[in-house]
Amino acid sequence: MYEFAYHRPASVAEAAKLLAADPEAKLISGGMSLIPVLKQRLARPSALIDLGAIPDLVGISVTATTVTVKGRTTHAAVAASAEVRQAIPALAELASHIGDAQVRNRGTIGGSIAHHDPTADYPAAVLALGATVNTSRRSIAADDFFTGLFATALEPDEIVTAVDFPIPEKAAYVKFPNPASRYAMVGVFVAKGPMGVRVAVTGAGANGVFRHAAMEEALAKSWSPEALEGITTPAEHLNTDIHASREYRAHLIGVMAKRAVAKAG
Amino acid sequence: MGYEGIGASVRRREDLRFLSGRGTYTDDINRPHQAYAVIVRSPHAHARIRGIDISAARSAPGVIAVFTGADMAAEKIGGLPCGWQVKNKDGTPMAEPPHPVLAIGKVRHVGDPVAVVIAETKAQARDAAERIAIEWEVLPAAATMEAALQPGAPSVHDDVPGNVCYDWHLGDKAAVDAAFAKACKVARLELVNNRLIPNAMEPRCAVGEYDAATGDYTLWTTSQNPHVIRLLMGAFVLNIPEHKLRVVAPDVGGGFGSKIYHYAEEAIVTWAAGKLKRPVKWTADRTESFTSDAHGRDHVTEAELALDDQGRFLALRVRTLANMGAYLSTFAPCVPTYLYATLLAGVYTTPAIYAEVKAVFTNTVPVDAYRGAGRPEATFLLERLVDIAALEMGIDRVEIRRRNFIPKDAFPYQTPVALQYDSGDYHRTLDEALKAANWDTFEQRRAEAARRGKLRGIGISTYIEACGIAPSAVVGSLGARAGLYEVANIRVNPTGSITVFTGTHSHGQGHETTFAQLIADRFGVPMSQVEIVHGDTAKVPFGMGTYGSRSLAVGGSAIVRASDKIIAKAKRIAAHLLEASVEDIDFKDGMFRVAGTDRVKSFAEVSLAAYVPHNYPIEELEPGLEETAFYDPKNFTFPAGCHICEVEIDPETGEVEVVNFTAVDDVGRVINPMIVEGQVQGGVAQGIGQALLETCVYDEAGQLLSGSMMDYTMPRADDVPCIQVGTAVTMCTHNPLGVKGCGEVGAIGAPPAVIGAVVDALRDYGVRHIDMPATSQRIWRILDAGRQRLAAE
C-alpha cells in the first residue's frame, strides 16, 4: 500500500466537494475491492474519502412499488432484511451469496455497482430489475449506468446515494461461480414486472453486465424455462480465461437462465 | 485422566494454542533493532540482466542496504545445493547447473530473486524495491517440457543444451520386451499428472540474526527440517561452521513438502544479518508463495500394460517426462525416480517392469516433493491403467485387481523395481472398503441419481506407497547426499517428568500429542508429565526432520529405542534401591517392582535417585537419567489401502460433486486413531483438489496465469464430502512399533479413485480417461462433444 491522505466527511455534499477538489482521490465505502487493490500496489490514490461517517447513506426502505437501498448499506443488511425478503426475495438471496460473511458485512451496494467488476453480482440485479441509481447530483436509469468494464456513467465527483428497485412480479438470480474465486463466472438475473421482462447477465461479458435481448423476447412471449430452449448467446463478446472459454460461458448463460426462470416460478 | 496410551484418541494438545491464536510462528518472532527485507524478483520467465541500477533505491528513505547477485558472488557465497544426485542410463551424473542465491547474469523463471532491499520498515523496503532499475534482455522461454525438448529450444542453462537434467531408467527392459511380445492384450494410456502449487496456510518466512559479541548466527525459518537447513546453508552456501549457526523452526503452519527445501531467502537474511549486524526479517506475501515455493508433480507419461487372456499383468512399460523447473530444488531429482518408478509394481504381482524417466529443465518455478512425492504419480498412472485394462478386457474393476494382488502369504515380497514389501493384506483392505462403501448396491444409487438428472459414477483405487524414509545406506547408494535416520533424546527430570527432544518436526501432524502418548504408554506417566521439544538445532541432536510420512516410523522408533535405554538404566537403579537383582525387577504402569513381591519404587523415586545419588550404585552406574538413540530404519514401510469415491455430474454444466468417499488404509499400528483420521481426511482433501480443482497454468511466455487464489482453485470445505475413514492393520515387521505412516496416503489413494468415478459417470459418452483436474469445463467439453456426436447420428 502506498501512502495516501484520509478524509472522513460527515455529509454527501462534503464528500462530493472533497472528491471534486482532488481528481486523484478515491471514495471508499466497504473497501472490499479497493483495499486488495491498494495492498497489491495496483492503485495509488492521493487520498481516500471514507463514506463511513455519513449516516444518511445507510438504510433500506420499502413502499408498495419500490425497494430503496441506500448506497452504503451492506450486503449482509440487504440479505437479512425481512422487508427485502418479502418484496424482492431474489435481491436478498443474491446479497446473501456475495463473497463470504466478512465481505458481506463490509461490502456495500454503492461500492459494488460503482466499481462495476464484471464478475460482481449486484450489477445483474440493478440491470434486470430496471433499477434507478440515485447519486449526489441526479438519477440514472440502470440501462444507462453500466457503460463498460469497470466503467459507469458516474462523473468523477459523483457519489451513489441509493438504488431504487421497482418491485417485480417474479425474479430470480442463479450463478455459476468461478471455482477459484467464487465470483460469478456466469450469473443470470431474470425479472418480470413493471419494467417488463428483463434478463441481465454478469460474469460473462467482456464489457461487464449486459441484457440478453433474445431471451427477453422469448420470455416476454412465454415465461417458462422451455421458452429459452434453443436460444444461444453469441460468444464473441464474452470473456475467456483459464476457467471457462467463451463457448462454455455462452452455454452456461443458457443453463443459468433456464434455472433462474424455473426458480422465479 | 482417561487412558492416554497407544490406541487412545487423545485430543491434540497443541490445538489449544493454534486455535486460540497463541502459536509462535516465524513471523511472530521479532528481534530488537530488526530490519526488513524485500526481494526484487524477475517479472520475466527468461531474460538476461544487462544492468541493475540500485542507486535510487539505495538513497530511498529508510534503506539500510541493497544487495545483488554480484555482491554475493564477490564474497564467494555458494549456490543452493541439491541433495540428491541421479545418474543417467550410461552411469554419468545428472546435469547439475548452479543455483545462485540471487540471480547472476540471467533469470530463469518468473519470481527468480534478483536483488534484496533491506530497510527500517517493510513499507520502506517495498518503496525502495520499486526504484531498482533493471535493464532486461528478454529471451524466448521454454515454459513447458514440450517446448524445452524441441530442437533449437531456448537453453534454460547455457551449459545444459537440450534442457535434459537426466535420462534415467529402472527395471529389466529385455524381460519387459519379451513379455509384451507374448501378451494377449496391451492396455495403453497417455496422461498428464498436473502441476500443483502447495499453498501451505502459513507463507514462508525467515529471520536472520548475528551476535557480534559471540560470532553466532541464528536463523528462524519456516522449515520441516531445521538441521538439514543448518547443514546445507552453513556448509555449502554461507560457510558458517555448524557450532556457530543455530536454526530454529518454531510453529509452522503447514508444509506438505514445500518447507523441506533450503530456499534463497534463508541464506539472504542470515548473510545480510551478519553484514549489517542487525536482525533481518523476510516474510513472503501470497504472490511470492505462488512464484517461489517449490511446486509439485508435473509429469507427462506414456504407459503400457501387457496382460494375458485372464487379465493377469505380465509386464509394465513406462516413459515419463518430469519437470524440474528452472533449478534443481533440494530433493527434486529423487522424486520422479526413486520415489516414483520404484512404486510401479503397486499391490500387484507384475513380474517385469521397465521405466524410463527424463527430467527436464523449464523456465518455471522449481518442482520438488509435494505430499506423496512421486508415489501419487505412480499410483495415478498404475490405477488408471488397471481400470482401462479392465474396461477393454470386459473384466470387472474389482475382479482384475483381485486376480493380480500380491497374496498375503507372499511377504516379504520382492518387486521387480527394487523394493521389498514387508507386510500387507490387500484383499482385506479391499473387502472392508467395498463393504463400507456399499459397492454392491451402487447401481441403485446410479439409477436414483439418473432420476434426478445426474450422472453418477463410482471409482476405486488400491494403492501402495513407500514411506518411513529410509535406510541410510540404501538411499546413499541411490544418490542421496544425506543420511535418513532419526534421533531422539529423552531427558528424565529429577522429579520424574520427561522431556523428549525429537529430530522430527511437527507442522500439523500432531507430534506433541502422538509422541507424548508413546512416552505415557512406555513409562506409565500421565501425558501432562511429558514435553515434546522439536525444531531447534540448539536443543535437539542432529535429526533429519519430517517428510515422507517418516516421523512415527523413524522418529517414533528412535523414541522407543531411547526409552528402552532409560528403562534399562532405571531398572538397575531400582534394583539397587530395592536391594534386589536387576533380573527380578519388573517395570509396569510407572512402578518398579521386585517380581512376586509388594516391594516397589515409583518412576519418580527412581528418577530422583538418579539425580540425588546418595544411595546409588555409583561404582557401576553414572548418575543422571538421560539417553539418546539414533534409529536407522532397516527398510521402508509400506502403507497400502483401498479408496472408493462416488461422484455426481451435472450433465448441463459439467460440475462434479464428490458425494461419497471411503478410505480403508493399512497404516500399521495406530497410536492415535483421531489423528490418523485427520491425516487421512486432509490427504484426501488434497487428493480431491488435485483430481478436480487444482492446476498450475503457465502461458507460452512462462507467465504464471494461476498466480493467486483468484485463479488457483484450492479445495474448500464444500468441495469435500464427509469422508469415511477406516483402518485394516497389518504390522510393519521391522520397526519396534509396527507402524507404517499415514500422512500421505490420502493424497496418494484419492486421485485415481476420483477420476475413476468421473470416468465411470461418463461411461455412456465413450470416455476411457480424463486428465486432472476434471474441471466442469473439461467435462462439459466431453459431454458437448458426445451430444453433438449423438445429434449427428
Side-chain angles (χ1 to χ4, degrees), chain B residues 641-709:
Chain B
C642 177
H643 289 194
I644 295 174
C645 177
E646 282 183 46
V647 300
E648 285 189 3
I649 294 174
D650 180 334
E652 290 186 321
T653 62
E655 259 181 305
V656 183
E657 184 187 359
V658 179
V659 290
N660 281 329
F661 199 102
T662 305
V664 175
D665 301 295
D666 175 2
V667 298
R669 187 191 303 280
V670 173
I671 307 300
N672 184 320
M674 187 163 60
I675 287 180
V676 169
E677 187 173 349
Q679 287 288 310
V680 173
Q681 287 180 340
V684 168
Q686 278 176 307
I688 290 172
Q690 171 163 26
L692 298 178
L693 303 166
E694 296 181 52
T695 195
C696 171
V697 184
Y698 280 98
D699 71 9
E700 282 175 15
Q703 289 295 326
L704 180 60
L705 300 183
S706 57
S708 80
M709 293 297 183

Side-chain angles (χ1 to χ4, degrees), chain A residues 162-175:
Chain A
V163 184
D164 296 331
F165 293 98
I167 296 174
E169 185 189 324
K170 294 175 174 186
Y173 177 65
V174 176
K175 73 173 157 183

Side-chain angles (χ1 to χ4, degrees), chain A residues 1-3 38-41 44 100 117 119 176-183 185 240-252 255-256 258-259, chain B residues 122-124 126-128 130 287 650-655 693 695 697 705-706 708-716 718-719 775-777 780-781 784 787:
Chain A
M1 205 176 277
Y2 297 108
E3 287 189 359
L38 294 179
K39 281 172 74 175
Q40 290 184 72
R41 299 189 158 211
R44 191 169 200 162
D100 53 25
D117 187 309
T119 62
F176 190 95
N178 175 306
S181 69
R182 301 275 172 112
Y183 277 85
M185 199 155 84
T240 179
D241 56 32
I242 60 174
H243 302 286
S245 64
R246 291 183 183 88
E247 292 70 27
Y248 183 42
R249 277 191 165 86
H251 168 77
L252 288 175
V255 177
M256 295 302 117
K258 279 183 214 160
R259 290 182 183 179
Chain B
K122 188 166 182 181
Q124 287 173 327
R126 277 196 168 190
D127 286 342
E130 291 180 2
T287 303
D650 180 334
E652 290 186 321
T653 62
E655 259 181 305
L693 303 166
T695 195
V697 184
L705 300 183
S706 57
S708 80
M709 293 297 183
M710 296 292 281
D711 281 308
Y712 187 82
T713 312
M714 293 291 285
R716 303 191 192 195
D718 64 353
D719 292 313
T775 61
S776 57
Q777 170 165 256
W780 172 73
R781 282 186 180 140
D784 193 50
R787 281 190 284 255

Side-chain angles (χ1 to χ4, degrees), chain A:
Chain A
M1 205 176 277
Y2 297 108
E3 287 189 359
F4 50 80
Y6 176 76
H7 306 291
R8 195 168 164 85
S11 70
V12 172
E14 195 190 331
K17 204 170 134 194
L18 285 164
L19 195 54
D22 182 356
E24 299 298 312
K26 290 286 273 181
L27 292 175
I28 182 162
S29 182
M32 294 295 91
S33 297
L34 183 56
I35 298 282
V37 167
L38 294 179
K39 281 172 74 175
Q40 290 184 72
R41 299 189 158 211
L42 297 172
R44 191 169 200 162
S46 56
L48 290 190
I49 302 166
D50 187 347
L51 301 176
I54 307 175
D56 278 0
L57 280 180
V58 180
I60 296 165
S61 58
V62 177
T63 67
T65 58
T66 309
V67 169
T68 299
V69 181
K70 288 192 176 174
R72 239 190 50 73
T73 309
T74 63
H75 313 322
V78 173
S81 163
E83 287 180 294
V84 177
R85 285 178 176 277
Q86 177 71 33
I88 316 178
L91 186 63
E93 208 211 315
L94 174 147
S96 76
H97 287 107
I98 298 173
D100 53 25
Q102 291 91 329
V103 167
R104 290 192 290 276
N105 280 319
R106 289 285 313 168
T108 69
I109 189 168
S112 171
I113 65 172
H115 187 49
H116 190 198
D117 187 309
T119 62
D121 297 306
Y122 260 134
V126 170
L127 195 56
L129 291 167
T132 300
V133 180
N134 299 305
T135 76
S136 49
R137 49 162 89 164
R138 58 180 166 151
S139 293
I140 308 171
D143 285 327
D144 301 325
F145 185 80
F146 300 105
T147 55
L149 205 62
F150 295 103
T152 67
L154 291 169
E155 295 296 331
D157 60 344
E158 196 172 5
I159 300 168
V160 174
T161 54
V163 184
D164 296 331
F165 293 98
I167 296 174
E169 185 189 324
K170 294 175 174 186
Y173 177 65
V174 176
K175 73 173 157 183
F176 190 95
N178 175 306
S181 69
R182 301 275 172 112
Y183 277 85
M185 199 155 84
V186 168
V188 180
F189 201 113
V190 299
K192 179 184 186 184
M195 306 302 289
V197 169
R198 296 166 68 104
V199 177
V201 180
T202 190
N207 297 312
V209 68
F210 66 91
R211 284 175 67 183
H212 202 300
M215 287 186 177
E216 290 182 358
E217 203 177 304
L219 290 172
K221 284 183 196 143
S222 162
W223 181 268
S224 67
E226 294 73 32
L228 297 175
E229 209 60 60
I231 294 182
T232 56
T233 307
E236 65 261 26
H237 298 301
L238 300 184
N239 272 332
T240 179
D241 56 32
I242 60 174
H243 302 286
S245 64
R246 291 183 183 88
E247 292 70 27
Y248 183 42
R249 277 191 165 86
H251 168 77
L252 288 175
I253 289 171
V255 177
M256 295 302 117
K258 279 183 214 160
R259 290 182 183 179
V261 173
K263 191 170 164 187

Side-chain angles (χ1 to χ4, degrees), chain B residues 391 758-760 762-770 782 789:
Chain B
L391 183 75
V758 170
V759 170
D760 183 49
L762 298 174
R763 61 186 185 165
D764 294 340
Y765 292 81
V767 177
R768 65 197 281 278
H769 175 69
I770 182 165
I782 290 166
R789 206 169 45 240

Side-chain angles (χ1 to χ4, degrees), chain B residues 299-575:
Chain B
H299 286 191
V300 175
T301 293
E302 297 171 6
E304 301 164 285
L305 180 65
L307 301 99
D308 71 11
D309 58 357
Q310 297 300 304
R312 286 191 195 89
F313 307 159
L314 302 175
L316 175 67
R317 187 188 277 145
V318 174
R319 280 181 298 277
T320 291
L321 298 178
N323 200 338
M324 293 286 107
Y327 302 100
L328 291 177
S329 176
T330 312
F331 290 110
C334 78
V335 177
T337 49
Y338 297 107
L339 296 179
Y340 167 71
T342 51
L343 270 299
L344 287 170
V347 288
Y348 310 114
T349 54
T350 317
I353 297 173
Y354 180 64
E356 295 171 283
V357 179
K358 203 178 269 188
V360 183
F361 289 115
T362 59
N363 290 115
T364 62
V365 171
V367 179
D368 207 325
Y370 169 68
R371 201 169 192 170
R375 293 151 286 159
E377 294 92 317
T379 301
F380 187 71
L381 161 81
L382 190 58
E383 291 301 286
R384 289 301 308 134
L385 199 50
V386 168
D387 269 12
I388 284 168
L391 183 75
E392 292 179 351
M393 293 190 75
I395 302 172
D396 178 76
R397 284 176 286 171
V398 172
E399 175 57 26
I400 200 168
R401 285 173 164 85
R402 285 195 198 282
R403 282 184 201 172
N404 289 283
F405 275 166
I406 297 162
K408 71 175 177 183
D409 57 6
F411 296 97
Y413 179 81
Q414 179 62 50
T415 75
V417 274
L419 297 177
Q420 191 186 77
Y421 302 161
D422 63 329
S423 66
D425 185 347
Y426 310 134
H427 286 280
R428 188 173 146 219
T429 45
L430 173 69
D431 288 339
E432 294 199 11
L434 292 173
K435 187 157 169 271
N438 294 313
W439 178 276
D440 289 343
T441 56
F442 173 72
E443 290 306 326
Q444 293 168 24
R445 297 193 291 284
R446 196 200 298 269
E448 185 277 328
R451 287 195 288 279
R452 286 184 283 112
K454 294 288 177 72
L455 303 169
R456 189 161 174 137
I458 193 165
I460 186 168
S461 78
T462 48
Y463 73 90
I464 190 166
E465 63 140 330
C467 56
I469 185 168
S472 296
V474 172
V475 293
S477 73
L478 301 178
R481 289 163 170 163
L484 284 166
Y485 65 84
E486 198 44 82
V487 67
N489 170 258
I490 299 183
R491 180 177 299 163
V492 180
N493 301 305
T495 60
S497 69
I498 300 171
T499 309
V500 179
F501 300 87
T502 171
T504 66
H505 187 279
S506 190
H507 34 277
Q509 292 86 349
H511 295 173
E512 290 170 47
T513 303
T514 302
F515 290 172
Q517 283 183 259
L518 277 187
I519 295 292
D521 196 271
R522 227 63 188 178
F523 291 95
V525 298
M527 280 174 70
S528 60
Q529 292 292 297
V530 184
E531 185 72 13
I532 307 297
V533 177
H534 63 84
D536 186 344
T537 62
K539 296 178 181 169
V540 182
F542 195 98
M544 294 306 298
T546 287
Y547 36 81
S549 308
R550 70 191 299 271
S551 295
L552 188 58
V554 192
S557 296
I559 290 174
V560 170
R561 288 282 175 81
S563 300
D564 290 346
K565 291 185 187 179
I566 294 272
I567 291 167
K569 182 173 180 182
K571 275 186 175 175
R572 292 177 67 185
I573 301 169

